[in-house]
Amino acid sequence: WRSYMALFMEEVRAALPHAEIVHNALWFADSPTRTADPYIRQEIQAADYVNLERGVNEPGLSGGAGPASLTSFLNYIDDVHALGKGVILDGSATDRHGTEYSLAAYFLISAGNDLVSAGGMTPIHWWTGFDVNLGEALGRRRRWSGVLRRDFTRGMSLVNEPGALSRAVKLPSPMRDLDGRIVESLVLAPASGVVLTRP
């Protein structure tokens, strides 16, 4: 069935060469092969974006490096980027905790052609955290003090995995959180993230 689906998606792409096409795909399909499967690669290449329902707010994500882990999820996104396509972290969270977790994860993976959303967000009902500008990425995400970190010219993003212990983190220098407070250290609960800017 993968070959038929890949062929169909290529036919849709050929019929609509100038349309923006988004595939709502299962990132864990054909585990553990996933994007090494040539048909899955064909399907991704026929899209402009891969929509990831619930994004990192997916309750089935775990810590560690297993097939349902946040690490595997982020590695899948890296593979989509390697094929020249963007992703949509279609976050379903409507609370501040889940929304900032989604935004922090977005900054961990963003290659400049990715999108992030939150449940119920409209121009009238808008969280100003989505207006943050961290500038240019200074490298890829990495492990640091038990969490995932990515640095930018104007700030940083930190994420603690689902199922992990709460992590107390001392920042390398004072930073400003998205509420405008200066912080020098913080505690990240499991399945949480924070976006920080340089004061």
Side-chain angles (χ1 to χ4, degrees):
W1 65 266
R2 289 187 187 91
S3 64
Y4 295 131
M5 179 57 75
L7 178 60
F8 179 53
M9 292 299 97
E10 287 181 334
E11 290 172 348
V12 171
R13 172 86 281 169
L16 303 167
H18 305 295
E20 184 175 81
I21 297 176
V22 178
H23 290 179
N24 191 352
L26 296 175
W27 70 272
F28 50 84
D30 195 23
S31 293
T33 307
R34 294 188 182 143
T35 54
D37 183 310
Y39 299 124
I40 290 177
R41 294 174 72 84
Q42 278 179 260
E43 171 267 317
I44 292 169
Q45 288 174 318
D48 294 294
Y49 292 95
V50 174
N51 183 63
L52 299 168
E53 280 189 43
R54 294 174 295 281
V56 295
N57 301 122
E58 169 61 52
L61 287 177
S62 66
S69 66
L70 177 65
T71 296
S72 293
F73 179 76
L74 299 179
N75 289 342
Y76 169 82
I77 293 171
D78 293 341
D79 291 345
V80 171
H81 287 159
L83 294 171
K85 307 302 175 177
V87 299
I88 302 169
L89 291 182
D90 191 7
S92 58
T94 56
D95 64 300
R96 167 64 184 268
H97 174 89
T99 302
E100 187 162 4
Y101 176 42
S102 186
L103 180 63
Y106 161 81
F107 280 118
L108 287 184
I109 59 93
S110 179
N113 186 37
D114 301 294
L115 307 167
V116 63
S117 69
M121 204 62 58
T122 69
I124 296 170
H125 175 69
W126 185 256
W127 177 50
T128 57
F130 281 131
D131 297 327
V132 69
N133 181 351
L134 293 185
E136 297 296 317
L138 297 175
R140 297 174 52 83
R141 69 180 177 274
R142 60 190 171 96
R143 291 207 174 269
W144 173 78
S145 296
V147 299
L148 295 170
R149 170 180 169 177
R150 191 174 186 199
D151 294 313
F152 297 81
T153 54
R154 298 180 187 165
M156 71 168 59
S157 176
L158 301 173
V159 166
N160 193 13
E161 299 173 310
L165 299 172
S166 290
R167 303 285 185 186
V169 176
K170 179 162 178 47
L171 301 175
S173 62
M175 307 286 281
R176 192 180 301 277
D177 68 16
L178 293 180
D179 293 318
R181 295 181 298 243
I182 298 292
V183 292
E184 296 184 10
S185 62
L186 49 86
V187 176
L188 279 173
S192 70
V194 64
V195 177
L196 301 163
T197 60
R198 303 192 193 288

